[in-house]
Amino acid sequence: MSTSKITYNGGLRTTSIHERSGNEIITDAPVDNKGKGEAFSPTDLLATSLGNCMLTIVGIAANEHGFNIDGTTCDITKIMAENPRRVAEIVVDFQFPANNYSDKDKTIIERSANTCPVMYSLHPDIKKTVTFKY
């Protein structure tokens, strides 16, 4: 079974259906690339996937080590470059709730976040700037 099915809707918009769940994602080309910017762009999803993956892997580690990260947020900033047009940098800014994390917990969080599958899958030329605020 495929992972997803993508349909081009016209007007620089696509619809992606997750085959297993039926969930849907719409993308638009960004305003700075001839689009309407009314939804995530494909490069927005790339950058956002990094934060989603990092939080998921940290959540797994937190469960395994008996601490809680519920309510943690992550702000993503995507920085584009030209010639060729590409993602040059992804800035990931974590904000953890006040849970009095121990130094051990923080080490587990940071190691887990920085070893997620998306992090390993991104090209090494893409700069990743990650901050953790506890």
Side-chain angles (χ1 to χ4, degrees):
M1 172 186 258
S2 65
T3 301
S4 60
K5 181 171 184 142
I6 304 168
T7 303
Y8 182 73
N9 303 324
L12 307 179
R13 176 171 280 187
T14 67
T15 300
S16 302
I17 305 293
H18 182 251
E19 293 285 8
R20 178 171 244 175
S21 68
N23 285 328
E24 181 179 298
I25 297 172
I26 294 172
T27 67
D28 272 341
V31 174
D32 67 347
N33 198 25
K34 302 179 175 74
K36 295 178 184 175
E38 294 175 346
F40 283 104
S41 73
T43 54
D44 291 342
L45 289 177
L46 174 81
T48 300
S49 289
L50 178 59
N52 286 320
C53 188
M54 293 172 94
L55 274 174
T56 299
I57 297 302
V58 171
I60 291 168
N63 289 341
E64 289 176 352
H65 293 277
F67 60 89
N68 188 320
I69 65 159
D70 292 359
T72 299
T73 61
C74 180
D75 290 323
I76 302 294
T77 304
K78 172 193 72 175
I79 299 168
M80 297 295 290
E82 299 295 330
N83 299 320
R85 185 171 169 80
R86 68 201 177 285
V87 176
E89 181 178 2
I90 302 171
V91 178
V92 183
D93 183 23
F94 286 98
Q95 298 89 38
F96 289 84
N99 282 348
N100 295 319
Y101 296 103
S102 69
D103 289 340
K104 180 181 177 184
D105 294 341
K106 291 176 185 178
T107 297
I108 291 167
I109 287 168
E110 293 173 23
R111 282 188 185 153
S112 299
N114 285 306
T115 57
C116 82
V118 172
M119 180 72 82
Y120 283 136
S121 299
L122 292 171
H123 194 280
D125 287 351
I126 298 175
K127 182 178 178 185
K128 291 79 139 181
T129 304
V130 182
T131 59
F132 300 88
K133 296 177 184 155
Y134 299 100

